[in-house]
Amino acid sequence: MSFTDLLFGTIITNSTVTGASFMIATVCSLVIGVFIAFMYTIKNSYSKSYIITLALLPAIVQMVIMMVNGNIGAGVAVAGTFSLVRFRSAPGTGKEITSIFLAMAVGLATGMGYIGLAAIFAVIITLANLILIGSGFGNGSAEEKTLKITIPEGLDFEGIFDDIFARYTTKAELCEVKTSGMGSLYKLNYSIVMRNRASTKGMIDEMRQRNGNLEISCSRPVAIKAEEL
């Protein structure tokens, strides 16, 4: 067997899973999974449970693929199961979702016996991810924030904060106005983009002087929870 066949070939022959091929694939899946998890910890924030999930996911997917190997009906059923995965907690970031799909792809490859291909693919993608993060690739404009201001009903909010927005932001758009407290208060929701090095505290302090020191909050836009993957 040539080196190329060893690297890109499969250890499963005739769609038959043996004890040796199962153990080799499982150990390699765990090793590659740990490698993916370790590479994710570089330049990323993470939780222990997520890292453990990344490390174990390739082996889990590999086991599923081995069990349905050659069975089209079972394969369709498994694909349907994957399609029902739902994000019921806070939505993941793009980097988290990318790592999950990478771990699944590795599990698919090892489940079909392509150990070398899975390892090479994992190394290429993780290194490409680190290079893209370090290069600043995809850096866009400044991040949009959601600004919520509460004002008394007697205060005319039309243009009252325009001069403050002009000093501290490059964009300020009034997105929503609603009443609160039996109509005694207005709640204004703005979409804003802060100027470079502009002080959020300074902006809020100036606004407090005009809204009677009522509630003001500034945060990232609330992401819509994903119902289905």
Side-chain angles (χ1 to χ4, degrees), residues 57-127:
L57 187 57
I60 296 172
V61 175
Q62 165 238 311
M63 181 63 182
V64 173
I65 297 304
M66 280 187 165
M67 292 300 96
V68 303
N69 190 26
N71 189 324
I72 298 177
V76 172
V78 171
T81 301
F82 282 140
S83 70
L84 294 177
V85 174
R86 304 168 74 90
F87 292 97
R88 296 190 180 275
S89 58
T93 64
K95 289 182 289 186
E96 290 172 344
I97 295 173
T98 298
S99 298
I100 289 291
F101 276 103
L102 172 59
M104 290 180 62
V106 167
L108 289 170
T110 56
M112 297 178 67
Y114 294 98
I115 306 300
L117 189 62
I120 293 173
F121 182 72
V123 170
I124 290 174
I125 296 300
T126 52
L127 290 179

Side-chain angles (χ1 to χ4, degrees), residues 173-177 189-191:
E173 179 182 356
L174 180 60
C175 300
E176 182 183 23
V177 179
N189 286 356
Y190 289 89
S191 175

Side-chain angles (χ1 to χ4, degrees), residues 86-92 222-229:
R86 304 168 74 90
F87 292 97
R88 296 190 180 275
S89 58
V222 179
I224 299 175
K225 184 181 293 186
E227 289 296 330
E228 296 184 357
L229 175 61

